[in-house]
Amino acid sequence: MRRLLAGLTAGAILLATAACGSSDDSGTSGKAASSDGTTTVKLGLIPIVDVAPVYLGQKKGFYEKHGLKLTISTAQGGAAIVPGVVSGQFQFGFSNVTSLMVAQSNNVPVKAVVNGIASTGVRGKDFNALMVKKGSAIKSPKDLEGKKVAINTLKNINETAVRAAVRNAGGDPDGVRFVELAFDQMPAALDQGQVDAVSVVEPAQATVKSQGGVEIASPLIDIAPDLTVAMYFTSLPYEQRNPDVVKKFREATAESLAYADAHPDEVRAIVTSYTKIPAAVLERVTLPKWPAEANRASIEALRKLGQEDGLFKTEPDLDKLLP
């Protein structure tokens, strides 16, 4: 099943690449300028806390100030958003860095535009955690050999992070049975015993905690201090045709990131507008960091792990991928 799903993901990326040659027109038409000079762009996001700055920036008028109007669609993970951006379905997207490197290694023309999110750097207090059900016999990532672990999409940063956690604990990551599951479905799946562990992010992480779930590792923090986890990106053809729009998106998003980092209470409030998390659970959500710049050294660490895990067809070129 793992090989089949991974193949489907790779197939989707390859189809997007093939479609890119015929989607140039759709990429351009996605940039619809109104009479007041505002440009409408489509943005693919995952409905998690990570992207709260965009919703907050939209509410505060940062994108409008820069001459942009956002039309937002959601997907299960960055690996699903990549084909949408490359095919012209979206002009911009949000994806974990590993999925962007996987895409580039498959000759998919992606280009990171602006930073997205970073880990807190505090073990046990990150927005991501590897968790098990209350009372589980699993006490360490090493115990996950032969167990079923849910991640949002296969062959992405969460798989790499879990594999690294298992390896660091003295286990064999090849023995882990990875299952693809949307973040918001993970709490119920864990509680009902459908999976043995989940690599979960906020706000679903807070829900798992409210069910008595126990954290056995902080996988993202194990990879590198202040890890750059995800970034906003576009396609190379779109950037080449519309450098002005890309610049506006970069500036508006950077402003949104800075505002979110300085106003955590407003972040928590905006999360309720695009997730179904109860207010009582939201109070316990661990917020990530939203730095202005990506941490290049941490991305190098991710690339090394991806190579060890055989995720890349060719070695990713970070000089071409990153802003």
Side-chain angles (χ1 to χ4, degrees), residues 41-46 51 54 63 70-75 77-86 88-97 99-100 110-117 230-235 238 246 249 253:
V41 293
K42 299 176 182 177
L43 173 62
L45 298 179
I46 312 167
V51 299
V54 169
Y63 289 93
L70 300 183
T71 299
I72 297 174
S73 298
T74 59
I81 293 173
V82 169
V85 170
V86 177
Q89 179 184 356
F90 312 126
Q91 281 70 59
F92 299 94
F94 177 84
S95 175
N96 70 83
V97 177
S99 287
L100 292 179
V110 292
K111 175 69 176 182
V113 173
V114 63
N115 196 33
I117 189 173
M231 300 184 73
Y232 295 91
F233 71 102
T234 188
S235 69
Y238 186 82
V246 173
F249 181 83
T253 302

Side-chain angles (χ1 to χ4, degrees), residues 163-207:
R163 288 176 64 86
V166 173
R167 191 183 295 116
N168 292 342
D172 179 9
D174 289 336
V176 178
R177 298 163 57 198
F178 288 102
V179 176
E180 197 169 63
L181 197 65
F183 286 124
D184 61 1
Q185 296 175 16
M186 290 184 185
L190 183 64
D191 192 52
Q192 296 167 12
Q194 297 171 1
V195 294
D196 301 295
V198 294
S199 180
V200 67
V201 302
E202 297 289 16
Q205 176 180 294
T207 301

